[in-house]
Amino acid sequence: MAKMWEGRTSGETSKIADDFNSSIKFDSKMYRQDITGSMAHAAMLSAQNIISAEESEKIIDCLGEILAEIESGKLSVDMTAEDIHMFVEQILTERIGDTGKKLHTARSRNDQVALDIRMYLRDEAEEISNLTKELISVIADKADEYKDAIMPGYTHLQRAQPITFGHHLMAYTMMLLRDIDRIADCKKRMNISPIGSCALAGTTYNTDRDFEAGKLGFDGICLNSIDGVSDRDFCAELLGALSILMMHLSRFSEEIVLWSSWEFKFIELSDAFTTGSSIMPQKKNPDMAELIRGKTGRVYGDLIGLLTTLKGLPLAYNKDMQEDKESVFDACDTAKMCLRVMTGMVSTMTAVPENMKKAAQSGFINATDMADYLVNKGLPFRDAYKISGRIVAECIKTGEVLETLPLSVYKSFSDKFDEGIYAAVDLGSCVNRRISAGGTSVASVESQIAFVKSMLKNE
Ligand code: ARG
């Protein structure tokens, strides 16, 4: 393809330089945004009498054709073009001649590319938010199904206090709601139009940046043209939000790997989301969860890569910035894939409440409740804590558990004990007495589910 910039130089570059310089392999993804942006630009140029209404119409019609042909596969993007902007303009000019050459009036590829990425990423952000909502909804349904399945809650991966599986699952919905919020927040700054910043200094033509921004659904325009073409904060912000989202998916995946192991067997993953081993017939591997955990590193890499690319750049546009696209595109594609897989994996998994209950019974996770019982009988917490510790140590020695330890043994540690201790250390009652807002009781988990569902509706 001939060079648009032939003139200042002969336009002859070496093949290796052309390949190195070209971004079409990854920016052709933005053909729709590029063409829509150009249509709005042509409309603005004629509204401002910079080109005639007929010229604008001709350009817009031809751009519409090009778009339809790319969508249908009739026109394939030429991979030898420098980038998607050059490709579209070249085809336009081939088809409508000199009129096509007028499109690039009062515009530069610097503001054009900044516009295209913003438009591309705002759609991606929307889709990622929607996929996150689907995942939240699936988790909340699972939580409802298992809102009274008692399991040990852990700290330091040591059994700590009784909770329900529903309560544990709901923790993830809260994280994911924050992710949606972060993406929405980042979209506010992303949805500001840079077009009209031109190369960096603005233009001598009487353009109407607000008209163009409004036509493309932006909430406003960048107020400094140098910033308009140099700003990639919205890419870094989105990558930051996606990194945190992936961190959440990764923590959840790690738990899924643990829970589905023989050591825990708290859950059973559906065959559709597991793989077997080529040599060990007994294996059912949680590969999907492991891959989500693994791909998290890749999204972090995208974030760090972009920040590193940007950190030393002088204003305004530098070609280094062409490197922004692959990292954001990769992070968006990865996040979308992981969200879809996670949603399928969670919706089809089943819990094994008997195993959760067994694990909850053997870890003295009701020891805090025994101490609280003594506090209710008038002992200071520290004394109650000490006595409870001694009872646990005794039980470990004798192989007893708190639920069935004879009252006479309890009484040998403190005369405050009576029959009421059995209700106090009953795991079900331990859970259901935790009625504090956000706590593990069934009632509290039900209200968490209701809250999350109402948030999903409001969004
Ligand atoms: N392909 C380029 C990019 O992605 C488009 C902008 C080129 N601008 C320029 N002045 N060379 O950044």
Side-chain angles (χ1 to χ4, degrees):
M1 195 171 250
K3 300 284 179 322
M4 285 280 182
W5 29 267
E6 198 177 308
R8 164 71 180 84
T9 70
S10 67
E12 278 166 31
T13 41
S14 79
K15 164 95 174 65
I16 192 170
D18 274 351
D19 290 347
F20 190 60
N21 197 38
S22 166
S23 53
I24 191 103
K25 280 178 215 71
F26 45 89
D27 66 20
S28 59
K29 258 179 188 289
M30 305 191 300
Y31 70 87
R32 197 174 307 118
Q33 290 74 16
D34 193 72
I35 293 174
T36 321
S38 289
M39 286 171 158
H41 190 64
M44 185 282 289
L45 290 176
S46 87
Q48 295 299 103
N49 293 317
I50 300 169
I51 62 174
S52 71
E54 300 80 73
E55 287 169 329
S56 165
E57 206 177 304
K58 219 167 159 190
I59 293 173
I60 293 173
D61 286 351
C62 184
L63 285 171
E65 258 170 49
I66 297 174
L67 178 59
E69 287 178 27
I70 298 180
E71 304 268 26
S72 72
K74 190 169 162 207
L75 175 66
S76 48
V77 176
D78 174 3
M79 285 299 152
T80 66
E82 188 184 339
D83 56 29
I84 189 63
H85 328 294
M86 289 299 206
F87 171 74
V88 173
E89 198 181 327
Q90 181 93 20
I91 301 291
L92 181 73
T93 311
E94 272 169 26
R95 292 192 183 179
I96 59 169
D98 282 352
T99 310
K101 294 185 192 160
K102 294 196 172 182
L103 172 63
H104 212 52
T105 316
R107 180 172 85 164
S108 146
R109 270 190 299 156
N110 298 350
D111 56 344
Q112 190 181 353
V113 71
L115 176 82
D116 291 2
I117 317 172
R118 284 176 190 257
M119 286 171 63
Y120 184 87
L121 290 183
R122 72 183 179 188
D123 291 348
E124 290 290 287
E126 186 65 27
E127 198 180 339
I128 293 170
S129 277
N130 289 336
L131 290 170
T132 309
K133 278 182 212 165
E134 275 169 44
L135 175 59
I136 293 177
S137 162
V138 156
I139 301 174
D141 287 344
K142 275 287 142 181
D144 196 38
E145 198 179 331
Y146 295 112
K147 62 188 170 205
D148 46 20
I150 294 171
M151 68 179 262
Y154 295 83
T155 60
H156 314 272
L157 204 54
Q158 302 284 323
R159 291 168 186 164
Q161 290 183 341
I163 56 167
T164 64
F165 190 45
H167 187 212
H168 195 108
L169 288 175
M170 285 310 290
Y172 285 103
T173 65
M174 302 297 166
M175 298 175 221
L176 294 169
L177 275 182
R178 289 196 294 276
D179 290 321
I180 291 179
D181 212 32
R182 254 185 292 273
I183 293 170
D185 187 59
C186 139
K187 257 179 87 183
K188 278 194 267 173
R189 285 173 293 280
M190 182 186 288
N191 205 31
I192 300 293
S193 167
I195 198 74
S197 298
C198 302
L200 79 162
T203 181
T204 52
Y205 294 98
N206 176 29
T207 53
D208 185 345
R209 292 190 56 202
D210 290 302
F211 172 93
E212 209 168 332
K215 242 186 167 352
L216 295 170
F218 283 96
D219 298 323
I221 59 169
C222 306
L223 292 177
N224 178 297
S225 60
I226 299 174
D227 182 48
V229 291
S230 315
D231 174 24
R232 293 292 183 275
D233 291 4
F234 58 96
C235 296
E237 284 189 49
L238 183 63
L239 285 173
L242 295 184
S243 294
I244 298 176
L245 165 69
M246 289 300 298
M247 178 266 285
H248 293 148
L249 299 187
S250 184
R251 292 181 78 172
F252 197 5
S253 296
E254 167 67 10
E255 298 214 283
I256 288 175
V257 172
L258 283 175
W259 292 336
S260 61
S261 70
W262 281 107
E263 281 67 18
F264 279 80
K265 262 292 164 257
F266 284 2
I267 59 164
E268 187 73 52
L269 291 174
S270 104
D271 290 355
F273 287 88
T274 47
T275 60
S277 155
S278 52
I279 147 163
M280 296 164 282
Q282 83 284 12
K283 292 291 281 296
K284 189 170 167 186
N285 297 327
D287 291 34
M288 308 307 136
E290 292 168 277
L291 267 176
I292 294 171
R293 192 177 59 189
K295 284 181 188 291
T296 302
R298 174 187 179 118
V299 175
Y300 293 0
D302 291 328
L303 169 66
I304 299 300
L306 179 75
L307 288 173
T308 312
T309 298
L310 295 176
K311 78 179 259 292
L313 295 187
L315 301 180
Y317 178 82
N318 303 270
K319 193 67 177 229
D320 315 43
M321 290 160 80
Q322 180 164 288
E323 291 288 307
D324 58 0
K325 283 167 236 30
E326 279 168 296
S327 44
V328 275
F329 294 168
D330 179 70
C332 289
D333 291 345
T334 306
K336 286 190 294 186
M337 216 160 36
C338 290
L339 285 164
R340 289 198 180 99
V341 170
M342 195 89 191
T343 301
M345 181 167 60
V346 172
S347 68
T348 54
M349 76 183 190
T350 47
V352 191
E354 314 82 76
N355 290 348
M356 293 179 173
K357 187 77 184 276
K358 237 181 272 159
Q361 278 163 338
S362 47
F364 299 101
I365 60 179
N366 43 5
T368 314
D369 296 86
M370 167 167 59
D372 288 345
Y373 167 87
L374 290 174
V375 169
N376 281 328
K377 295 277 177 188
L379 281 189
F381 182 77
R382 279 291 158 224
D383 293 342
Y385 173 91
K386 219 171 261 165
I387 292 168
S388 302
R390 284 194 209 115
I391 297 175
V392 168
E394 176 70 14
C395 285
I396 290 170
K397 233 188 279 161
T398 58
E400 300 263 15
V401 293
L402 299 183
E403 291 91 317
T404 50
L405 187 69
L407 190 57
S408 56
V409 182
Y410 272 118
K411 280 189 180 295
S412 70
F413 285 92
S414 165
D415 57 9
K416 302 277 186 206
F417 282 112
D418 61 29
E419 280 293 335
I421 182 62
Y422 296 108
V425 296
D426 171 75
L427 290 178
S429 90
C430 291
V431 162
N432 280 316
R433 278 185 287 113
R434 285 187 164 72
I435 48 167
S436 54
T440 200
S441 69
V442 174
S444 160
V445 171
E446 275 169 351
S447 69
Q448 292 169 43
I449 295 170
F451 167 78
V452 164
K453 296 239 155 158
S454 76
M455 290 301 284
L456 292 183
K457 258 192 225 132
N458 292 344
E459 286 281 340

